[in-house]
Amino acid sequence: MLRTLLVAAAVLAPSAASADRQFGITVDAGVPDGAAASIVYRPISAFRLHAGATHNMITTGVRAGVSVVPLRSWCSPTLNLDVGSYREGDANPLVQMVSGDQAFHNDSLERVGYRYANAHLGLEFGRKRATFYLHAGGSYIAGKLRNLDAATDGTSSTTVSFTTDPDVRLLTVSAKLGLIIYFL
């Protein structure tokens, strides 16, 4: 009986791999992610999940992802995969702010939204209570170009017309910088 209890306690007791804090929050900023705040769950030392809200200065979105952290040291390389989506929003105020031209308006910027997937390699510093990270790699971005007929002024001798909004797909480099604070 005592032997059974000892075996059960050994199986159910937290292992050294799970002695790290499992829950936290992360904030980061990057391209195409924008700024993000997420909940982090680390079920085992080498594996981390996150999900949260994002903002790209146009509209709000969501993002989720997974990270593989192979080393249990204060500095570790990582492999990171994320997927996210931004609902459509008006990009004209952002262009006005960046350009300084308050009169600027383009109908094709009224409905900007996209989906994306990131594959990043990273370097992370810290482990137990806080982790600072830099991730870089590539992203696949997909969306639609809206109101392109309204964007042409009709003065050109060559007229382009669209019966539907064209799909746009892009492979590009991307990166993000962030901080995780573990609390449980």
Side-chain angles (χ1 to χ4, degrees):
M1 174 80 167
L2 179 59
R3 183 179 190 150
T4 305
L5 288 174
L6 289 174
V7 170
V11 169
L12 296 175
S15 68
S18 66
D20 292 330
R21 293 170 184 247
Q22 291 185 300
F23 292 94
I25 57 170
T26 184
V27 292
D28 61 48
V31 174
D33 303 43
S38 300
I39 299 294
V40 175
Y41 174 59
R42 181 170 52 182
I44 61 173
S45 178
F47 188 74
R48 184 173 65 228
L49 302 167
H50 72 268
T54 58
H55 198 286
N56 63 1
M57 296 183 69
I58 299 170
T59 187
T60 58
V62 295
R63 180 185 72 194
V66 60
S67 296
V68 177
V69 187
L71 303 179
R72 288 186 48 90
S73 65
W74 71 273
C75 178
S76 179
T78 61
L79 171 65
N80 310 278
L81 304 172
D82 301 312
V83 294
S85 178
Y86 278 104
R87 62 185 180 90
E88 292 182 343
D90 188 356
N92 283 300
L94 176 61
V95 174
Q96 291 168 358
M97 181 182 71
V98 170
S99 70
D101 180 3
Q102 297 304 312
F104 178 87
H105 183 83
N106 186 316
D107 290 341
S108 63
L109 295 177
E110 288 179 351
R111 292 175 56 197
V112 175
Y114 55 90
R115 297 170 314 283
Y116 62 92
N118 301 330
H120 290 164
L121 294 176
L123 195 54
E124 300 192 352
F125 302 94
R127 183 92 192 145
K128 295 187 183 218
R129 295 185 189 271
T131 302
F132 171 78
Y133 60 85
L134 174 62
H135 299 166
S139 292
Y140 170 79
I141 304 171
K144 288 191 176 286
L145 292 178
R146 307 282 188 185
N147 302 323
L148 285 182
D149 288 335
T152 60
D153 61 7
T155 60
S156 173
S157 61
T158 305
T159 303
V160 177
S161 180
F162 297 95
T163 56
T164 61
D165 293 328
D167 291 324
V168 176
R169 291 176 177 82
L170 173 69
L171 287 174
T172 186
V173 295
S174 59
K176 66 180 162 184
L177 184 68
L179 177 68
I180 304 169
I181 304 294
Y182 292 101
F183 53 87
L184 288 177

